[in-house]
Amino acid sequence: MDGHLRDGVVRVGGDARQRFYDSRGYGRPLGGNEIALARTEAAHLLFRGDLDAVDGMSFREFLTSVDDPRFGVRFLVYADLRERGFYLSPAREDWVPDPDDTDFHVYPRGKGPGDGEVAYRVRAVGERASVPAATLGDRVLAIVDEESEITYFETGRPDVGGTSGIDLPDSVPADLLSDRVVCWESPAHLHEQGFYGQPLAGRDGDREALQLSLVEAAYLVEREVLTLPREAVVDRGRAVEGERFDRRLLVYADLRDRGVVPKTGFKFGADFRTYADVESVDDLGHSELLVRVLPSEYAFAPRDLALDVRLAHGVRKTMTFAQVDGETVQWRSVERLTP
């Protein structure tokens, strides 16, 4: 059985509708028994031997004839998902790529394009591609490495939240040091229930003094907890971290306002690790999220994204990204997926 390339799709007649569309979810009906196949679908049918040729071209010739630098990567992902038992269709608007960069709609096992249900929206990328952070969320990234192995990542837009929070004190004496703040005679609950700072024990074991990071101190100064001028703390933060400080402060405040306690994520190569339900520092449990703060135009190298997700998984946390755009924080999560 042969196909013919017309207006960007491969048309196949004969018993194609029954053989390909009705029984296995390939293509879309054109009328009668004729169907239209996207190039990726046609390439897969050529690869399997279900199509003999397209305009006289074999699988090899057809694969190399398509003038699209991403076609090889998209074909590999399409073929892999078919081998896993899924029916899938190219995402399309008048048979062109989906405007939000989705390549495929993958249907739940046992269902096809006529059932009105999509299990995954998949974007196929090569390991050297650039992945804008703004495109993450409600889709699956299928990353094809240089040896043609495929790793799947499920991305989402989490509703980050928790139940942590305390009544904050006011007018607590504090001193600004080089890159931190020491809060003197701090109320015990500021650390013990609010998990702010790190106690500074004296020679007699007295734990009243509290060390605060600059981002913690700036947040508390804005809420009139500390007797320090806001400008002094924020200016020191910018001197230490540059413009990154403002982004981290905005995300820190957003997390606290959502009832989540952020603490440094330095040991994990992140900006923060978070605790959603803090009642006492003596019974914290594991933190749930690793958070990296990103500027608005940030784009990932897939290798770095894979490294972040692998590290978070290894310490039983979810890799989460806070993308800052002006005064707004957009939350993205990424986890490994086995379809």
Side-chain angles (χ1 to χ4, degrees):
M1 179 177 289
D2 292 348
H4 303 280
L5 186 61
R6 299 289 184 274
D7 300 322
V9 299
V10 175
R11 294 172 177 255
V12 186
D15 63 351
R17 174 164 182 160
Q18 177 184 0
R19 189 174 167 192
F20 298 138
Y21 177 77
D22 292 341
S23 64
R24 290 186 281 166
Y26 287 91
R28 60 182 171 93
L30 290 176
N33 289 323
E34 190 178 25
I35 64 170
L37 299 168
R39 288 183 173 92
T40 312
E41 295 173 304
H44 190 244
L45 290 172
L46 285 168
F47 175 71
R48 289 175 49 87
D50 293 323
L51 276 182
D52 297 317
V54 172
D55 291 334
M57 292 183 285
S58 66
F59 168 70
R60 176 181 175 180
E61 293 165 331
F62 183 76
L63 193 67
T64 57
S65 73
V66 178
D67 185 19
D68 178 356
R70 293 183 57 246
F71 184 71
V73 165
R74 289 169 51 234
F75 169 75
L76 289 170
V77 172
Y78 183 92
D80 182 71
L81 289 167
R82 279 281 182 179
E83 288 300 312
R84 292 172 184 263
F86 290 100
Y87 290 175
L88 63 154
S89 300
R92 55 188 177 265
E93 177 75 24
D94 296 325
W95 215 268
V96 297
D98 187 280
D100 71 355
D101 289 334
T102 297
D103 288 306
F104 304 115
H105 290 160
V106 182
Y107 307 107
R109 294 185 188 277
K111 296 189 176 182
D115 295 312
E117 187 176 350
V118 174
Y120 306 116
R121 297 168 58 246
V122 177
R123 171 70 170 172
V125 298
E127 70 163 270
R128 296 181 181 86
S130 178
V131 180
T135 66
L136 300 184
D138 305 323
R139 77 177 63 204
V140 171
L141 278 180
I143 299 178
V144 183
D145 69 21
E146 65 182 1
E147 295 183 350
S148 299
E149 293 189 6
I150 302 170
T151 304
Y152 293 91
F153 296 95
E154 187 166 25
T155 75
R157 301 176 187 269
D159 184 13
V160 177
T163 62
S164 304
I166 60 170
D167 292 330
L168 293 172
D170 55 35
S171 302
V172 177
D175 288 337
L176 177 60
L177 304 182
S178 60
D179 63 349
R180 67 204 62 220
V181 166
V182 176
C183 176
W184 306 104
E185 301 178 4
S186 168
H189 76 284
L190 192 61
H191 174 71
E192 293 173 1
Q193 279 80 50
F195 204 10
Y196 287 92
Q198 182 70 20
L200 179 64
R203 287 178 297 179
D204 59 356
D206 182 13
R207 291 164 56 105
E208 290 184 348
L210 193 66
Q211 300 177 84
L212 298 168
S213 71
L214 290 172
V215 72
E216 289 176 308
Y219 175 81
L220 292 173
V221 164
E222 288 179 345
R223 282 144 187 84
E224 299 182 348
V225 174
L226 306 182
T227 58
L228 284 172
R230 179 187 184 278
E231 294 78 9
V233 178
V234 172
D235 287 349
R236 183 65 56 84
R238 290 169 178 165
V240 170
E241 293 191 54
E243 62 180 17
R244 178 170 171 264
F245 179 79
D246 292 274
R247 290 195 296 268
R248 292 182 68 241
L249 177 57
L250 184 67
V251 171
Y252 182 93
D254 190 64
L255 286 166
R256 282 285 184 180
D257 293 346
R258 289 170 177 265
V260 176
V261 172
K263 298 297 285 184
T264 179
F266 173 78
K267 291 181 181 178
F268 307 104
D271 288 289
F272 303 112
R273 69 188 195 277
T274 68
Y275 300 84
D277 304 297
V278 174
E279 294 183 4
S280 168
V281 295
D282 295 324
D283 186 25
L284 282 173
H286 288 285
S287 57
E288 300 89 10
L289 308 178
L290 287 185
V291 177
R292 279 187 59 201
V293 178
L294 308 176
S296 60
E297 300 301 319
Y298 188 84
F300 291 97
R303 187 187 305 251
D304 295 337
L305 187 62
L307 180 62
D308 283 340
V309 174
R310 174 60 65 91
L311 188 150
H313 178 76
V315 293
R316 295 183 293 167
K317 306 182 197 311
T318 299
M319 194 66 225
T320 308
F321 301 97
Q323 189 174 18
V324 175
D325 186 2
E327 296 299 313
T328 302
V329 179
Q330 299 291 334
W331 292 96
R332 326 277 184 187
S333 62
V334 185
E335 298 182 84
R336 282 285 298 269
L337 172 71
T338 301

